[in-house]
Amino acid sequence: LDVGSGASKLEVAKVDTTIIPWTVVGESLFAKEQELKLASDLKSSENNTISAHIIDRLFEVLKNFKKVASDLGATEISAAATAVFRLADNAPEVLKRIQSELGIRVRVISQEEEGEIGFLTAATQFSCEAPDLGNLVAWDSGGASFQLTALAEGLQDIYEVYEGPLGASLVTALLVNKVQLKDFSQNKSANPASLEDIVSLRQLIQLELPVAPSWLRQMLDDEHANVITIGGETSAFRMGSVALGTNTYTAVDLWSAIKRLAGSSDAELAEYPQADMLIPKLVLVHTVMVEPPLTVQRCTFKKALIDGVFSLLLYFDIVV
């Protein structure tokens, strides 16, 4: 189970735990992603807590996930939670209740660990095409944070992680609250977002980005670097892929899509999942790509729901 800031994910599979690392045996038995905007709900809160309504919905999702897994013969559950549970004041209470009422122990992972898991996920995709993982930069972005991760130079199983403090829900709230001057708790959609709004949002994002470390600048300057973006159906990277009709794109490509979609209403963007957050997602990705001294020349999206969830299991021994 991956209890994320914008969605919860389940995968069920047979796993050989007699060898290290644990290995998935055969094909996955079941995989599903359920949208649940925890980070968006948190950002709407006046006291930095996840609301009772959303907690109830989360319990229903996890309860159903557990039943599906049990019906398929699962005997062990591995679960991790990400950024929203690092931020919410009532996260410990929610997780304690999940364990007591559902029998699921959920571990809150650090952002560094999240980046390392993202790298492992990207590696499962990338290694099939190029065995040298030394040129791989994995970029994953969720509802409340993003990470760029690579292997430390000359070392194995040691990672360098650039920790971004923004995700889709946080950037959407930034656009609605600070640029459009609306109340995000009452107006969840950023549409329509004018080109002027978008430029202002870019400037606000730039102010929030940490200084890029030398290892990341060096990696991105290398013409052989491969930036692999990972995510599920609603990820910011997939939205860029859908908007452009290709999984590999440059910042120039993405900006052309953003300009084309600027000013569109929710109805006009209905073909996109989470249309209300589409523009902020694309602007976040574009800003990171062009923000000196990062400058991501191009990135390639890899859909990674299944491998992503099981990277959690292979990374941690979280068994209930």
Side-chain angles (χ1 to χ4, degrees):
L1 287 169
D2 175 1
V3 189
S5 300
S8 289
K9 304 168 187 176
L10 166 71
E11 185 182 4
V12 182
K14 294 182 179 180
V15 177
D16 184 352
T17 61
T18 64
I19 59 174
I20 302 298
W22 293 357
T23 304
V24 176
V25 179
E27 296 294 324
S28 170
L29 301 177
F30 181 86
K32 184 175 182 180
E33 176 177 342
Q34 179 67 55
E35 176 184 311
L36 194 58
K37 298 178 182 177
L38 299 177
S40 179
D41 178 77
L42 178 65
K43 199 62 181 178
S44 302
S45 169
E46 295 181 354
N47 57 357
N48 197 48
T49 59
I50 306 169
S51 70
H53 169 66
I54 292 295
I55 292 172
D56 288 343
R57 287 184 58 195
L58 174 62
F59 268 69
E60 284 302 311
V61 169
L62 296 182
K63 183 178 179 180
N64 289 336
F65 277 178
K66 183 177 181 180
K67 183 179 185 305
V68 169
S70 178
D71 289 347
L72 289 169
T75 58
E76 297 177 346
I77 296 176
S78 185
T82 54
V84 71
F85 290 93
R86 297 193 292 263
L87 298 171
D89 288 343
N90 62 336
E93 173 190 334
V94 174
L95 296 174
K96 183 177 180 180
R97 186 181 155 200
I98 290 173
Q99 182 167 0
S100 64
E101 296 183 19
L102 299 180
I104 301 172
R105 182 167 62 88
V106 182
R107 172 176 170 176
V108 180
I109 61 175
S110 69
Q111 189 169 6
E112 180 180 8
E113 290 170 329
E114 195 172 353
E116 294 174 3
I117 292 166
F119 184 90
L120 293 174
T121 304
T124 64
Q125 305 283 339
F126 180 70
S127 59
C128 297
E129 304 167 12
D132 183 8
L133 297 180
N135 295 325
L136 172 63
V137 178
W139 183 4
D140 64 296
S141 184
S145 68
F146 72 87
Q147 296 77 225
L148 289 106
T149 308
L151 283 173
E153 186 176 3
L155 299 174
Q156 187 176 6
D157 299 329
I158 302 296
Y159 305 92
E160 303 274 16
V161 182
Y162 175 83
E163 302 178 7
L166 297 171
S169 292
L170 302 190
V171 173
T172 302
L174 196 62
L175 175 55
V176 173
N177 286 334
K178 301 297 185 181
V179 177
Q180 297 174 335
L181 302 180
K182 300 177 183 178
D183 183 354
F184 185 62
S185 66
Q186 303 298 320
N187 300 273
K188 290 295 195 295
S189 177
N191 299 320
S194 68
L195 193 57
E196 182 180 358
D197 290 341
I198 290 168
V199 171
S200 296
L201 177 60
R202 282 180 53 183
Q203 294 170 345
L204 292 175
I205 292 172
Q206 288 167 350
L207 293 175
E208 296 291 332
L209 294 180
V211 175
S214 59
W215 68 263
L216 182 56
R217 297 197 302 268
Q218 292 170 5
M219 285 285 297
L220 296 177
D221 284 343
D222 188 338
E223 62 179 352
H224 299 296
N226 286 278
V227 180
I228 303 296
T229 62
I230 54 173
E233 291 290 335
T234 63
S235 70
F237 308 117
R238 180 175 181 271
M239 294 305 94
S241 177
V242 172
L244 291 166
T246 177
N247 285 343
T248 299
Y249 46 85
T250 66
V252 173
D253 298 330
L254 192 56
W255 184 245
S256 68
I258 291 171
K259 290 194 295 183
R260 172 169 50 83
L261 297 170
S264 300
S265 65
D266 284 350
E268 291 170 323
L269 298 174
E271 66 182 284
Y272 297 92
Q274 297 184 346
D276 55 335
M277 305 170 70
L278 173 66
I279 294 297
K281 287 180 180 181
L282 298 183
V283 174
L284 175 60
V285 174
H286 180 266
T287 304
V288 174
M289 290 184 78
V290 301
E291 171 65 7
L294 288 177
T295 316
V296 178
Q297 297 179 24
R298 65 177 55 81
C299 60
T300 300
F301 168 68
K302 299 287 187 181
K303 185 178 176 182
L305 168 61
I306 294 175
D307 290 318
V309 173
F310 259 88
S311 288
L312 293 171
L313 184 149
L314 300 174
Y315 189 80
F316 295 111
D317 177 12
I318 314 172
V319 177
V320 178

